[in-house]
Structure formats: structure tokens, C-alpha cells
């Protein structure tokens, strides 16, 4: 009833699939290299007297190379859910509207010729999309007409508030959004992999990583703003590092693959930021003494919140660490990352790392926000290059840049590129992939993600 072929390298499906067709209810094909659906999927006409796949209600084929969705998709009478996100579709066939039971469809991440339809697949319900296709793309379904009318009135109100203007609001809004392109593992000739050992489960089990290329930290105070944004995230969203911890590295100074592992406190050695190489237990003791000294100076009863993360490793027999292929410890969460991989002004490619002993979701949420902040800072640097020596730029850390609606705004020609990084177990089984198709959605109102 269910066949899962996801995450392989399949380019086509053989005729043997026809034997399973009469009973098949769910067919999962995401993450392959298929180029045609359903042409390469459905058996030849007449091969089955009851029609091909009479019970198939769920078809998932996201993250493939599908260039065309044939009209024979309508030959799936029981199809309720269709996912063909992140393929190479340029058009959607009107025959989709003839699928009698289709309720959920995901077409996001395809560069459709019909730009109006492309907007619809990103923001409208399946019913409205099917009505649009049923009208041949020339007219509008009733539901979509009502939405379009409401949007038109909203735009007119916005224009009146801004005192008129000749620019097209929708285009301006899109142009002012920040751009990030996702490079999938399948498109990357040398993807970075992190292998997590079983020992981290009892110490700090959750880690999410990705590679970010195209950061511009050279002009003026760009690096200073970048570090300030990271500190602010640590204090707020990461709850002073107790919920999650961020580490950023210069990718050029790292040898992959990486290992997320544990080591005893008296064996783990790291060169902390701004210090000489030392054992983890000595570093922790030194930081605790510094925290205690600060407490006494400020005459407080308890250690400041800034140092509460030091207590997260109390009583642990092993400490977590991220180690590169040469055996160099580049990160010791939640305490510090390494001086050897420190971000500098000429850094262009970053390895971003978020760990937590709380949940995987907090790691993803923090990573989403970190990428958004870097995109905001990158554009701020590009737009204010002539003033880049100014110190009065802290406001850029608190939200998106407010653009003057009368400016001729253009999106960045070279968006940031986020490369997917897989975290696998010691047997190579996938634990987490970031960013997946569901990641970066929390910041989608400020970020345009090209998948």
C-alpha cells in the first residue's frame, strides 16, 4: 500500500512498478533525480483494465528534476495529495483541475512562466490554484477573484498613505525583500557532512549546521555589526546561551568532514577565542572563577545570567565538541568556539552552527533568525558602503532596513547562498538536514528564499 523510494538517485521508474499499482495508496519519491511525472511513472495506457493506480491518494515527488507534469496526471482518480515542490516545472497542466479528489498540492520552488500563477502557488489554497488552471490561466476562480479584489483595495490604501507614487507596490515589496538561495546537497559537488556520535545524546544531543556564502564583512564596521548581532541573539532568543548556542567559523580554515563528538574534560583541548590552547576542564574552571569575581565586584548574590550557561556542563563525564578532519576541536558548546576558525574581515564563506540540549526546533529557529540577520547586515553594508566607517549603525541589528518607497530599489544581484549540511549518525543515517523545505519559513515575510 505504501512505497517509499525517497532520498535515492533514481532517474526513472521501471515498468515493474505496474505490478504494485492496483494496491498502492502512497508513493514517496522525493529527493531523487526524476525528470518526468507522471509520464515516467504511469504504466502504458491499457496495461491495467481498471486504470493505472486506482487507489493512489498520495504522491510526493519534491526535490527532483521534473521538467514537465503531463496531462495524464488526471488519470489518477483517487489522488488527494500531490507534492512536486522544488523541481524544474515551467508550467502546470490544466488537467490538474480534472483530478476529482485533489485537495492538497505543493508546487512551491518551481520557476513558472506564468508569474501570477507562481505567486498563487506560494500564497493561495489548492482550490484557488485549480480554479485558475481550470479557466486556462486566463480567468480567475471566484475565490481568487475575491482575494484579488481585497488585495487591490489594500494596495490602494497603502498608496494613499504613502502620498501616491508611480511605483508598483507589489513589485516594490518583492524587490525590497532580502534574497537567499538554497544550494541542495544533490547540486553540491562537495557537500559538508557532520557525523554525530552516540555519546552526544546524553550531553548535548541537538545540532544544526549550514554553510553560508557571500557574506560581506570587509567594509567599515561590518564585522563589528555581525558579532554584535550574534551577541544579541545569544542574549535574547538563546536565553543567554541556556536554550541554544551559536558558533560561527571561517569555512576556509576548516577541513571536512566534521565530527560532533564527546571527550572527557581532561582530554578535550581547544584554543578558545582570544586565549591560548588549554584543556576544557581548565577553561571551565577559569571562566567560573572570572564569573565569581565579577559577582563579588558587583555585590550580587548569584552569578549573572550571562554566566549561567557555564552550569550546563556541571556533573558531565564528557563534554561536547565539533572536530574537523584533522582532529582540531573547532567548537566546544556552549562555552566557546576556536580561535583557529575565527571570523575575520576577509571571511566570505561561513560555517554556521547551532547546538542545544533542549530541542532540535530551537536550533532551527535560531538558525533561521541568524541567516535573516546576516542577510539584513549584508544589504545594509551594500547600501551604505560610503558611510561604512560610521559607528552609528546599531539599529540595523534590530530589524530589516526601511527603504524609501520613492527609491529605485533593486534586489541584490548576488544573494547569499545557503548550502545544505547533513548531520548523520555513525552508520550514515540522516538525522537532520538544514535547510529543509520547511526551514526558513518563520522569516519568509522578510526573506525571499530561492529553493
Amino acid at each position: 500500500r505504501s512505497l517509499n523510494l525517497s532520498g535515492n538517485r533514481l532517474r526513472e521508474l521501471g515498468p515493474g512498478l505496474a505490478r504494485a499499482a492496483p494496491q498502492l495508496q502512497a508513493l514517496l519519491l522525493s529527493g531523487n533525480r526524476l525528470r518526468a511525472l507522471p509520464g515516467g511513472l504511469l504504466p502504458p495506457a491499457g496495461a491495467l483494465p481498471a486504470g493505472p493506480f486506482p487507489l493512489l491518494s498520495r504522491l510526493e515527488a519534491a526535490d527532483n528534476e521534473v521538467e514537465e507534469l503531463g496531462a495524464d496526471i488526471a488519470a489518477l482518480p483517487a489522488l488527494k495529495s500531490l507534492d512536486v515542490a522544488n523541481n524544474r516545472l515551467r508550467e502546470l497542466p490544466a488537467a490538474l483541475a480534472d483530478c476529482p479528489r485533489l485537495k492538497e498540492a505543493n508546487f512551491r520552488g518551481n520557476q513558472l512562466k506564468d508569474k501570477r500563477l507562481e505567486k498563487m502557488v506560494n500564497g493561495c489554497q489548492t482550490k484557488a490554484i485549480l480554479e485558475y488552471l481550470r479557466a486556462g490561466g486566463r480567468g480567475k476562480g471566484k475565490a481568487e477573484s475575491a482575494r484579488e479584489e481585497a488585495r487591490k483595495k489594500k494596495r490602494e490604501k497603502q498608496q494613499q498613505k504613502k502620498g501616491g507614487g508611480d511605483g508598483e507596490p507589489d513589485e516594490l515589496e518583492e524587490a525590497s525583500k532580502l534574497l537567499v538561495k538554497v544550494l541542495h546537497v544533490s547540486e553540491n559537488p562537495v557537500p559538508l557532512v557532520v557525523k554525530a556520535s552516540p555519546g552526544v545524546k546524553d550531553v548535548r544531543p541537538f545540532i544544526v549546521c549550514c554553510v553560508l556564502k557571500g557574506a560581506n564583512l570587509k567594509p567599515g564596521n561590518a564585522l563589528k555589526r555581525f558579532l554584535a548581532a550574534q551577541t544579541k541573539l545569544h542574549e535574547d532568543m538563546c536565553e543567554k546561551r541556556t536554550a541554544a548556542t551559536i558558533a560561527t567559523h571561517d569555512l576556509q580554515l576548516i577541513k571536512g568532514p566534521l565530527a560532533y563528538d564527546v571527550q572527557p574534560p581532561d582530554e578535550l583541548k581547544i584554543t578558545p577565542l582570544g586565549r591560548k590552547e588549554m584543556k576544557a576542564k581548565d577553561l571551565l574552571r577559569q571562566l567560573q572563577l572570572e564569573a565569581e569575581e565579577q559577582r563579588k565586584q558587583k555585590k550580587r548574590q548569584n552569578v549573572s545570567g550571562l554566566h549561567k550557561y557555564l552550569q550546563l556542563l556541571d556533573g558531565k563525564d564528557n563534554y561536547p565538541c565539533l572536530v574537523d578532519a584533522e582532529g582540531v576541536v573547532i567548537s566546544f558548546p556552549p562555552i566557546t568556539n576556536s580561535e583557529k576558525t575565527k571570523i575575520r574581515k576577509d571571511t566570505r564563506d561561513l560555517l554556521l552552527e547551532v547546538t542545544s540540549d533542549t530541542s532540535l526546533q530551537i536550533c532551527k529557529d535560531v538558525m533561521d533568525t541568524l541567516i535573516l540577520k546576516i542577510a539584513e547586515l549584508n544589504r545594509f553594508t551594500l547600501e551604505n558602503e560610503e558611510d561604512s566607517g560610521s559607528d552609528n549603525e546599531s539599529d540595523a541589528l534590530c530589524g530589516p532596513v526601511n527603504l524609501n518607497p520613492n527609491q529605485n530599489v533593486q534586489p541584490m544581484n548576488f544573494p547569499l547562498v545557503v548550502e545544505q549540511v547533513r548531520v548523520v549518525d555513525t552508520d550514515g543515517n540522516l538525522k537532520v538536514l538544514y535547510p529543509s523545505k520547511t526551514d526558513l519559513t518563520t522569516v519568509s515575510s522578510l526573506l525571499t528564499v530561492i529553493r
Side-chain angles (χ1 to χ4, degrees), residues 177-181 209-219 221-233 246-250 343-344 347-354 365-383 396-401 412 414-419 434 440 443 446-447:
K177 284 172 76 172
L178 301 148
L179 286 178
V180 169
K181 175 171 172 50
C209 296
C210 69
V211 167
L212 189 85
K213 293 191 170 181
N216 187 13
L217 303 175
K218 208 163 191 175
N221 291 324
L223 177 60
K224 186 178 173 183
R225 292 195 303 272
F226 170 79
L227 297 174
Q230 188 176 323
T231 300
K232 187 168 172 55
L233 275 176
I246 301 164
T248 54
H249 309 271
D250 188 327
I343 303 294
R344 293 173 173 81
T347 300
R348 292 284 294 175
D349 302 336
L350 312 173
L351 169 66
L352 307 181
E353 161 208 341
V354 181
D365 292 346
V366 170
M367 187 69 88
D368 286 359
T369 308
L370 177 61
I371 290 170
L372 171 64
K373 291 296 176 191
I374 296 172
E376 289 173 359
L377 295 175
N378 225 37
R379 183 168 69 181
F380 185 89
T381 300
L382 287 170
E383 292 179 348
L397 309 179
C398 304
V401 178
M412 283 192 290
F414 303 100
L416 289 169
V417 175
V418 183
E419 294 185 3
Y434 184 91
L440 292 168
V443 293
L446 302 169
L447 206 60

Side-chain angles (χ1 to χ4, degrees), residues 130-329:
L130 297 181
E131 285 180 4
Y132 182 78
L133 291 172
R134 186 176 286 114
R138 293 182 297 275
K140 304 172 184 173
K142 290 179 183 177
E144 176 56 20
S145 266
R147 286 192 194 92
E148 181 62 27
E149 189 62 31
R151 280 197 293 267
K152 186 178 177 183
K153 288 179 181 178
K154 188 177 179 182
R155 283 200 301 268
E156 286 172 356
K157 281 184 180 178
Q158 287 174 340
Q159 278 295 89
Q160 287 168 4
K161 283 182 182 178
K162 292 173 184 175
D166 300 322
E168 181 62 36
D170 271 2
E171 290 177 10
L172 181 65
E173 185 183 335
E174 277 303 307
S176 67
K177 284 172 76 172
L178 301 148
L179 286 178
V180 169
K181 175 171 172 50
V182 174
L183 183 69
H184 295 262
V185 168
S186 58
E187 302 167 340
N188 192 345
V190 282
L192 192 64
V193 178
V194 178
K195 186 174 286 188
S197 75
V200 299
K201 185 179 179 183
D202 301 321
V203 182
R204 195 171 181 83
F206 306 108
I207 183 169
V208 166
C209 296
C210 69
V211 167
L212 189 85
K213 293 191 170 181
N216 187 13
L217 303 175
K218 208 163 191 175
N221 291 324
L223 177 60
K224 186 178 173 183
R225 292 195 303 272
F226 170 79
L227 297 174
Q230 188 176 323
T231 300
K232 187 168 172 55
L233 275 176
H234 265 149
E235 290 179 2
D236 300 338
M237 195 170 185
C238 298
E239 298 174 24
K240 301 190 188 305
R241 297 201 209 183
T242 56
T245 305
I246 301 164
T248 54
H249 309 271
D250 188 327
L251 185 68
Q252 301 303 318
L253 304 175
I254 295 171
K255 299 288 184 185
L258 304 177
Y260 185 47
D261 203 355
V262 292
Q263 294 182 20
D266 56 351
E267 290 181 19
L268 197 166
K269 289 184 178 179
I270 186 169
T271 306
L273 289 169
R275 302 175 191 245
K276 294 179 180 179
E277 185 182 69
M278 62 177 75
K279 291 180 180 178
K281 68 171 186 178
D282 297 332
L283 173 63
L284 207 57
R285 188 183 302 118
Q286 191 172 322
L287 290 172
Q288 285 165 343
L289 288 172
E290 290 172 8
E292 179 64 18
E293 184 63 30
Q294 188 183 88
R295 182 189 70 79
K296 286 178 180 177
Q297 286 177 2
K298 296 191 175 181
K299 298 179 180 178
R300 291 178 175 172
Q301 288 187 335
N302 299 311
V303 172
S304 71
L306 191 62
H307 293 94
K308 280 189 177 177
Y309 66 90
L310 297 174
Q311 301 167 12
L312 295 176
L313 296 178
D314 284 354
K316 302 286 187 185
D317 295 329
N318 290 298
Y319 289 168
C321 56
L322 190 62
V323 186
D324 76 1
E326 295 180 338
V328 176
V329 175

